[in-house]
Amino acid sequence: MRLAPDSNGAIEMARAGLGFALVPESFEAKDLVEKRLVAPFRRSITSRFAYYLVYPPDALDRASVKTVRDWLRAEADRP
């Protein structure tokens, strides 16, 4: 497992196909518009700190990425 030192590093790793990044929306907006990354959730979580899970479009082909995405989605839906 590789960990990024900060949000910018996490986005760079996601762009390189090394996993996903959970980052503030403002950090990845351009990548979403230019379709370098995708956001798997339609809704965001209201929080003083907002983060978005993003990864390369083909990342869900990897079972490990899909597992983490599904787990995060389930956790986010908890009351």
Side-chain angles (χ1 to χ4, degrees), residues 1-6 9-22 62:
M1 175 169 58
R2 297 180 190 177
L3 297 176
D6 56 31
I11 291 171
E12 288 298 322
M13 290 174 75
R15 283 184 197 138
L18 298 175
F20 59 87
L22 188 59
R62 296 190 344 239

Side-chain angles (χ1 to χ4, degrees), residues 16-73:
L18 298 175
F20 59 87
L22 188 59
V23 297
E25 181 179 21
S26 61
F27 282 61
E28 45 71 36
K30 185 176 179 182
D31 286 306
L32 292 176
V33 169
E34 295 177 2
K35 302 200 186 297
R36 287 190 299 255
L37 296 173
V38 297
F41 308 123
R42 289 197 175 120
R43 74 177 186 90
S44 61
I45 298 170
T46 302
S47 169
R48 195 174 101 188
F49 304 103
Y51 292 88
Y52 298 82
L53 178 68
V54 296
Y55 44 75
D58 61 348
L60 287 180
D61 293 341
R62 296 190 344 239
S64 59
V65 174
K66 186 175 183 316
T67 298
V68 171
R69 190 272 321 252
D70 292 347
W71 174 78
L72 283 170
R73 181 180 284 166

